[in-house]
Amino acid sequence: HGFGGLPAELADDEALRRYLAARLTLYLGTGDIDPNDDSLSRDEESMKQGPHRYARGLATWEFAQRVARERGWEFNWRKFEAPGIGHVAAEQVGAGREIR
């Protein structure tokens, strides 16, 4: 759930700085917006991040980018969005375009 509740070895600033500097690719399907999907977490903490996976992915991206910017850290994540694709990884990878 975001960057909160991490184990001690991952929660310090140096670990977070390395994580945000890593070449991480976030794939998001813009059609992954079903708030009733059977496998979607609906606990209170998950719902704070957004009503569906696409919103949660955007929230994660924006939060990570903001933390890096505010702290003056390198941010090497890439975000790919696959228009109209739902929660199907193989389709997202083939249909995505980088959004930065």
Side-chain angles (χ1 to χ4, degrees):
H1 298 299
F3 297 156
L6 294 171
E9 63 271 14
L10 300 175
D12 68 2
D13 276 0
E14 182 56 25
L16 183 56
R17 185 195 61 75
R18 285 192 314 269
Y19 181 49
L20 297 175
R23 188 69 171 163
L24 181 141
T25 302
L26 184 63
Y27 285 94
L28 303 174
T30 65
D32 198 357
I33 57 172
D34 182 358
N36 299 311
D37 185 286
D38 289 341
S39 64
L40 183 70
S41 297
R42 289 185 194 76
D43 59 272
E44 184 178 346
E45 291 300 311
S46 296
M47 295 306 292
K48 287 179 184 177
Q49 295 177 352
H52 44 70
R53 287 186 194 91
Y54 180 59
R56 293 174 189 182
L58 291 175
T60 297
W61 170 266
E62 291 165 5
F63 180 75
Q65 196 173 43
R66 185 176 64 245
V67 167
R69 184 177 50 250
E70 288 174 355
R71 296 182 183 194
W73 293 345
E74 189 175 2
F75 184 68
N76 289 317
W77 291 16
R78 298 182 306 164
K79 177 176 62 167
F80 280 78
E81 292 188 9
I85 303 297
H87 195 63
V88 182
E91 292 178 13
Q92 290 177 3
V93 172
R97 59 185 173 86
E98 187 168 4
I99 310 288
R100 187 107 203 222

